[in-house]
Amino acid sequence: YCFIVTVTATPSSRVYRFVNWTDGGTIVSTDAVYTFTARADRNLVANFEQNTGTSYTIVVSVSPSNRGSVVGGGTYAKGSSVTVSATAAEGFRFVNWTDGGTEVSTSAAYTFTATADKNLVAHFEEIAPATYHVAVSVLPANSGTVNGGGTFNEGSSVTVSATPAEGFVFVNWTEEGTEVSTSASYTFYVTENRNFVANFAQQAV
């Protein structure tokens, strides 16, 4: 019987490279992935050699520190394809990769060919939180006063309060005509722009 066999040789580290397959000292292939038809016993040896003088060191780091993480640094053979990746920590975003202070990529996953030593720095910046506007007004005019409006970061706890003028009583808070609270002091979390109206009614005599 004959069988199709595929053998694969992989260097144990990037400072070595595959040279050839030999059988009994005879070169049978220079392909790291070698496929052949097995008609007899074989004694294959994968031969490697050190990339002495033809390997480069890729150093990766983060700036400012603790704003993200990076992977992909190490020693690579000359001409190797290298990919370094940067992942931002929560609340931050990736900006760019620099080498010696010069921008080399704005892609978080940066792929290049190893032709020299590199000292790559992944830069991150803080993501500004979204802000929303809370508007407060009074109906009817001069029937009371309101406080608590302004611009707030997303997720902030906000309290709007209404105080009736003399001769009036607080009725409710409405937004686009829909009642949202009957409490003169109304607390909520900001997730969008809001436009509240404090409604007052004239106090019965």
Side-chain angles (χ1 to χ4, degrees):
Y1 295 98
C2 296
F3 299 95
I4 302 299
V5 179
T6 298
V7 290
T8 302
T10 305
S12 61
S13 72
R14 299 184 185 96
V15 298
Y16 292 91
R17 70 176 185 87
F18 173 77
V19 179
N20 55 32
W21 289 99
T22 57
D23 186 356
T26 300
I27 296 174
V28 293
S29 178
T30 56
D31 295 326
V33 180
Y34 172 39
T35 299
F36 60 93
T37 301
R39 295 187 173 88
D41 292 340
R42 303 288 300 272
N43 188 8
L44 297 172
V45 177
N47 300 285
F48 299 88
E49 67 179 11
Q50 191 170 4
N51 284 305
T52 306
T54 57
S55 61
Y56 298 106
T57 300
I58 309 301
V59 177
V60 290
S61 59
V62 174
S63 179
S65 60
N66 302 321
R67 291 193 173 186
S69 59
V70 289
V71 295
T75 302
Y76 292 83
K78 179 180 180 180
S80 297
S81 177
V82 182
T83 297
V84 292
S85 298
T87 303
E90 185 176 356
F92 299 91
R93 73 175 186 89
F94 172 77
V95 178
N96 60 16
W97 287 100
T98 61
D99 183 9
T102 301
E103 181 179 273
V104 292
S105 179
T106 56
S107 174
Y110 170 41
T111 299
F112 58 94
T113 300
T115 57
D117 291 340
K118 287 185 178 293
N119 189 357
L120 298 172
V121 180
H123 298 268
F124 300 88
E125 67 180 11
E126 190 170 5
I127 299 172
T131 58
Y132 296 103
H133 185 65
V134 176
V136 288
S137 58
V138 172
L139 276 179
N142 302 317
S143 59
T145 58
V146 288
N147 291 290
T151 300
F152 303 90
N153 290 337
E154 182 176 19
S156 297
S157 176
V158 176
T159 299
V160 292
S161 58
T163 303
E166 186 176 354
F168 290 86
V169 293
F170 174 77
V171 178
N172 60 16
W173 288 100
T174 58
E175 186 171 23
E176 296 181 355
T178 301
E179 182 179 270
V180 293
S181 178
T182 57
S183 173
S185 180
Y186 172 47
T187 300
F188 60 96
Y189 290 99
V190 177
T191 58
E192 59 184 342
N193 292 327
R194 307 296 296 267
N195 188 2
F196 296 117
V197 177
N199 300 281
F200 297 92
Q202 196 162 12
Q203 197 170 29
V205 178

